[in-house]
Amino acid sequence: MTKNIPELYGSLVFNDKVMKQKLPKDVYKTLRKTIENGTHLELDVANSVAVAMKEWAVELGATHFTHWFQPMTGFTAEKHDSFISPTDNGEVLMEFSGKELVKGEPDASSFPSGGLRATFEARGYTAWDPTSPAFVKDGTLYIPTAFCSYSGEALDKKTPLLRSMEALSKEATKILHLLGHPEVTGVSTTVGPEQEYFLIKKEDYMKRKDLIFTGRTLLGAQPPKGQEMEDHYFGSLKPQVAAFMHDLDEELWKLGIPAKTKHNEVAPAQHELAPVFDTANIAVDHNQLTMELMKKIADKHDLVCLLHEKPFDGINGSGKHNNWSMVTNTGVNLLDPGKTPAENIQFLVFLVAVIKAVDEYADLMRLSVASAGNDHRLGANEAPPAIVSIFLGDELTGVLKAITNDEFFGKIDKVQMNIGATVLPHFSKDTTDRNRTSPFAFTGNKFEFRMLGSSLSVAGPNVVLNSAVAESLSEFYEELKDVPADAMCDAVHKLVKETLSKHKRIIFNGNGYSDDWVLEAEKRGLYNFKSTPDVLPCFIADKNIELFTKHQIFTEAEIQSRYEILLENYSKTIRIEAKTLSDMIKKEFLPALLAYADQVTCTVADRKKIVDLPCTQEIKLITSLSSSYEKISCLEEQLEADTAKAETIEDALALAHFYHESIIPTMDAIREVADAAESLLPHDALPYPGYSDMLFYV
Ligand code: ADP
Ligand code: MG
């Protein structure tokens, strides 16, 4: 039976329609105002909303509520309280108050705070975020909240995002007023994150400690076939995968998450899901929920969803594309060039604001996507390079060039594509053609930031983008604010031209994978941070502290704490990987190697008793196995010694560098020998599934 999708869609969300139905008219109006303009909500209004929310949630089977928040772990957190309230006569009422809706007090001591929360003050606060709708999941009413310390410092990913959206809205609105749009009272940032992931069989996953503990394979010989046939991308979906996607879509739709596109990706066992975009805050919440549901629903189908950036060596890793734009409260997309971008002054102002922002804060953009997992992708010829640059496409580049050279820009006629068959409709060739190698590409009416790792919360990159663009716009405002209206057009033209000549170095339409680009980028003075420990110190650079504090995105203490958390996360991740690798090598791989070498040795000895043959090939095999054993053992010893040494390094940055420069190379060396040795083993000698098993049987 086919389900009624429009009826299903958002059926578990306390959305506008439900609010209108369930709330008294004046309460609804006040709440709308809070959602749209961030006005303060009085307690009596909150009480009224709480009652309606609870009644609605109970009807949907909810017995509990939770303040749902996004601590610095990158995951979401929740603590469930039931609605029940015992009465004197031994019965219970289902109760939920405005106070409970608005504020929670979880113990914050077990969440990363980077030294912000003194241990003697364990209390933290969660505060209701009315701009992201509440929803019911698994019998609980989920209330999206921000999470902060007792003294009000942000301990989460949502708070700075909301602050950055506010900063951008404020600055963009000021500019729009100068450009003759007094009707605009706010600007939202919109985000559409495309999410990549892998699906493998649960039974395989359960046998691999590396996947369980680190999310990626630390060992594994290449299968005979990888992704070279390019037969998986957009390939037809296998039944188990199709069933998973079907369930996933349905669950997402119920939660009002507009899952739109799904397809197989380039690598075997890799897939992608893209939603329709939403305001940044909601998109971030939805992406967190999507990742969570992917894991949960995969489990129901006896699959495991891998969100790590590089689960398998030798084939593509997974990323996330952060499509980003700005829209006015009157519904105008500020990055829409319209039919004649050269004459669209408003578009040009916002376009060059982004160009300036990305050039000036390219280090922060790179930092916002830095993680141990993403280090495997960036610059590895499958994902964007680690150098941040902007792709604009031919048409826009032409427009901007004409402006810089004071030439008249004759619009490029869109090339009619003739695809042969007359029955097919003709369409114009998209002038912002795809350049997959670009980390930050203009794609028609939005920018696509492509450096994000698949497991990353999309909050961080959007905080940086919003803050940096807010700063460009605030500088523009200072330049334009005293210009009389009749001179505005010329002043804007001059500003656009000057900004472009200053920041054109960040624009690059060529092949980001080529070695020439690395040299060229260096000549242009662009950053090229190759690893997470390399880029993290940028967080505390003066210019970046200035940006964040000026726009009230972070306090200096918050920046320092986040810097520490990022460093710590990196070192912890590599430490777990090193320990897991040691464990697998000692307890699984080396014993397997030894057992097989023994088996071949016995066979040869037995054989020699009855036949008079030199058995040179068998002996060669034994030699190879033994020599691999020797090499791997020695390297593993070194890895253990180095991991022990790491424990003695106190400086967090020095420690991160030690993991990057000493531990990772040893892990790589172990892997190289072990993977070569794995290919000598018969299929059933390996105590866990190999790449061929995992990648081609879902
Ligand atoms: P692709 O990049 O795969 O060709 P699309 O161009 O259709 O796909 O869009 C990719 C993503 O960009 C989708 O999630 C879509 O909702 C989102 N998107 C489209 N317009 C905007 C916008 N104005 N702001 C933010 N995201 C947008
Ligand atoms: Mg895309």
Side-chain angles (χ1 to χ4, degrees):
M1 200 182 72
T2 48
K3 295 199 178 93
N4 182 343
I5 304 298
E7 216 167 87
L8 190 80
Y9 189 83
S11 56
L12 298 178
V13 184
F14 194 72
N15 55 23
D16 193 62
K17 192 177 126 205
V18 181
M19 285 186 223
K20 230 188 221 146
Q21 263 169 21
K22 305 265 172 194
L23 294 173
K25 233 191 200 134
D26 52 328
V27 173
Y28 171 78
K29 263 197 195 148
T30 317
L31 181 58
R32 272 295 356 142
K33 247 209 222 133
T34 302
I35 294 171
E36 275 152 30
N37 313 326
T39 45
H40 180 71
L41 203 68
E42 298 300 333
L43 194 61
D44 57 331
V45 182
N47 275 328
S48 174
V49 176
V51 168
M53 237 187 217
K54 181 210 69 190
E55 271 168 18
W56 166 82
V58 168
E59 270 170 37
L60 290 167
T63 52
H64 289 67
F65 69 93
T66 182
H67 274 201
W68 184 64
F69 59 103
Q70 301 172 20
M72 296 302 295
T73 54
F75 303 106
T76 56
E78 49 196 74
K79 181 185 120 218
H80 299 221
D81 282 301
S82 72
F83 290 125
I84 66 162
S85 163
T87 61
D88 290 340
N89 56 5
E91 297 177 343
V92 291
L93 294 173
M94 298 293 264
E95 278 184 348
F96 184 49
S97 70
K99 230 177 101 205
E100 286 172 308
L101 165 66
V102 171
K103 191 172 116 187
E105 290 189 28
D107 182 349
S109 61
S110 300
F111 294 103
S113 78
L116 265 189
R117 177 200 37 73
T119 28
F120 60 82
E121 186 41 90
R123 227 172 341 156
Y125 287 122
T126 49
W128 178 34
D129 166 20
T131 62
S132 180
F135 53 92
V136 168
K137 189 165 75 74
D138 305 322
T140 295
L141 167 66
Y142 279 73
I143 300 149
T145 59
F147 178 46
C148 63
S149 75
Y150 181 64
S151 41
E153 284 118 344
L155 293 175
D156 68 346
K157 307 224 166 202
K158 187 189 269 276
T159 309
L161 179 72
L162 291 172
R163 291 174 183 163
S164 74
M165 290 169 72
E166 223 172 289
L168 186 129
S169 175
K170 191 176 115 201
E171 301 302 337
T173 306
K174 274 160 51 184
I175 291 284
L176 286 166
H177 289 177
L178 286 182
L179 297 180
H181 291 287
E183 75 283 6
V184 174
T185 55
V187 171
S188 305
T189 41
T190 50
V191 167
E194 302 165 57
Q195 175 76 46
E196 292 181 337
Y197 60 97
F198 279 85
L199 287 178
I200 61 166
K201 281 189 292 187
K202 199 186 338 185
E203 55 177 291
D204 287 343
Y205 174 88
M206 294 309 293
K207 290 185 195 127
R208 293 210 52 137
K209 287 187 190 162
D210 48 5
L211 286 177
I212 292 174
F213 293 129
T214 74
R216 73 180 182 102
T217 53
L218 301 170
L219 293 167
Q222 290 298 308
K225 180 187 171 193
Q227 62 188 47
E228 62 275 53
M229 299 301 286
E230 300 176 328
D231 52 354
H232 192 254
Y233 192 55
F234 283 16
S236 68
L237 303 174
K238 293 198 182 147
Q240 203 179 357
V241 173
F244 158 84
M245 288 180 172
H246 178 87
D247 271 10
L248 177 63
D249 275 345
E250 224 172 82
E251 292 307 316
L252 292 173
W253 289 340
K254 280 188 210 163
L255 291 174
I257 300 173
K260 175 93 175 153
T261 314
K262 52 184 179 184
H263 60 78
N264 284 351
E265 258 301 327
V266 175
Q270 192 185 30
H271 314 279
E272 182 181 298
L273 181 141
V276 177
F277 68 95
D278 216 321
T279 54
N281 182 31
I282 292 178
V284 168
D285 287 0
H286 281 177
N287 184 249
Q288 290 296 136
L289 276 173
T290 301
M291 291 194 284
E292 190 189 312
L293 283 174
M294 280 177 164
K295 297 204 160 215
K296 217 172 86 184
I297 290 163
D299 190 66
K300 277 194 194 150
H301 289 260
D302 291 321
L303 298 167
V304 171
C305 170
L306 302 175
L307 290 172
H308 192 281
E309 284 75 16
K310 192 75 177 175
F312 304 99
D313 228 35
I315 62 171
N316 282 3
S318 298
K320 188 136 60 182
H321 288 177
N322 188 83
N323 294 274
W324 177 94
S325 190
M326 299 165 274
V327 65
T328 65
N329 64 318
T330 52
V332 178
N333 178 354
L334 294 170
L335 291 178
D336 189 344
K339 285 210 174 72
T340 49
E343 292 153 27
N344 186 344
I345 270 193
Q346 177 180 299
F347 164 72
L348 290 173
V349 168
F350 284 93
L351 178 71
V352 298
V354 178
I355 293 172
K356 173 178 156 72
V358 173
D359 186 32
E360 284 178 350
Y361 297 100
D363 51 346
L364 281 180
M365 302 260 299
R366 169 70 182 85
L367 179 134
S368 75
V369 298
S371 70
N374 217 14
D375 277 1
H376 295 285
R377 292 176 67 239
L378 297 180
N381 276 20
E382 52 164 270
I387 306 164
V388 175
S389 68
I390 301 181
F391 169 86
L392 288 178
D394 293 340
E395 182 170 5
L396 266 193
T397 306
V399 170
L400 297 184
K401 206 180 249 158
I403 292 172
T404 353
N405 299 339
D406 283 330
E407 289 161 11
F408 174 75
F409 177 77
K411 190 167 147 308
I412 300 179
D413 277 326
K414 289 207 174 182
V415 186
Q416 277 285 322
M417 290 254 289
N418 188 345
I419 40 183
T422 46
V423 291
L424 296 173
H426 287 211
F427 52 87
S428 297
K429 190 175 160 202
D430 189 351
T431 39
T432 59
D433 196 10
R434 300 280 182 247
N435 177 341
R436 291 200 319 126
T437 69
S438 176
F440 196 77
F442 186 75
T443 48
N445 58 3
K446 62 187 190 289
F447 276 101
E448 191 168 331
F449 186 21
R450 299 181 174 136
M451 293 171 88
L452 285 72
S454 47
S455 67
L456 187 77
S457 156
V458 290
N462 287 297
V463 168
V464 169
L465 253 173
N466 295 345
S467 309
V469 174
E471 173 55 23
S472 297
L473 293 171
S474 114
E475 287 176 35
F476 287 179
Y477 180 79
E478 286 308 311
E479 285 215 10
L480 297 174
K481 68 176 190 225
D482 299 323
V483 174
D486 60 346
M488 190 54 83
C489 208
D490 286 344
V492 168
H493 188 88
K494 190 167 147 264
L495 175 78
V496 168
K497 187 179 153 184
E498 278 170 9
T499 311
L500 276 174
S501 6
K502 231 175 161 174
H503 298 288
K504 61 172 186 274
R505 65 169 185 173
I506 196 77
I507 297 167
F508 176 62
N509 291 322
N511 177 7
Y513 293 169
S514 72
D515 297 333
D516 292 349
W517 169 231
V518 179
L519 296 175
E520 164 73 18
E522 197 180 323
K523 264 195 232 141
R524 293 190 190 186
L526 301 182
Y527 298 108
N528 184 4
F529 295 105
K530 297 197 176 69
S531 73
T532 300
D534 274 351
V535 74
L536 289 186
C538 293
F539 212 165
I540 50 171
D542 288 343
K543 80 170 178 56
N544 296 334
I545 294 182
E546 216 172 288
L547 169 77
F548 286 134
T549 50
K550 174 179 168 189
H551 294 279
Q552 295 172 338
I553 315 295
F554 293 122
T555 63
E556 228 178 306
E558 285 170 343
I559 294 174
Q560 190 64 41
S561 80
R562 269 153 215 260
Y563 170 56
E564 280 169 33
I565 291 171
L566 287 168
L567 278 175
E568 224 175 76
N569 272 351
Y570 178 81
S571 295
K572 279 184 189 162
T573 305
I574 309 295
R575 180 169 176 270
I576 294 170
E577 290 188 350
K579 295 211 157 206
T580 306
L581 182 60
S582 277
D583 193 77
M584 280 177 83
I585 288 289
K586 279 196 303 195
K587 296 196 180 132
E588 296 178 321
F589 192 77
L590 287 180
L593 211 57
L594 199 60
Y596 183 54
D598 277 353
Q599 189 194 328
V600 183
T601 310
C602 293
T603 312
V604 173
D606 288 349
R607 197 170 299 165
K608 282 204 165 182
K609 285 182 206 149
I610 42 175
V611 292
D612 182 24
L613 280 174
C615 293
T616 38
Q617 288 305 322
E618 288 91 331
I619 290 168
K620 222 161 114 188
L621 175 61
I622 299 167
T623 315
S624 283
L625 292 168
S626 299
S627 114
S628 305
Y629 188 95
E630 174 76 19
K631 278 186 212 151
I632 298 169
S633 298
C634 291
L635 285 166
E636 195 283 325
E637 262 175 31
Q638 192 192 324
L639 184 63
E640 274 192 66
D642 284 349
T643 331
K645 187 172 162 200
E647 311 284 325
T648 66
I649 301 175
E650 273 171 26
D651 180 73
L653 181 60
L655 181 62
H657 275 294
F658 182 76
Y659 273 113
H660 181 256
E661 279 113 55
S662 298
I663 305 253
I664 290 181
T666 310
M667 288 174 60
D668 289 345
I670 293 177
R671 176 163 196 163
E672 201 182 320
V673 190
D675 288 357
E678 184 186 315
S679 59
L680 301 175
L681 295 177
H683 186 257
D684 55 4
L686 203 63
Y688 44 76
Y691 273 31
S692 311
D693 306 307
M694 287 186 285
L695 287 168
F696 295 94
Y697 294 96
V698 170

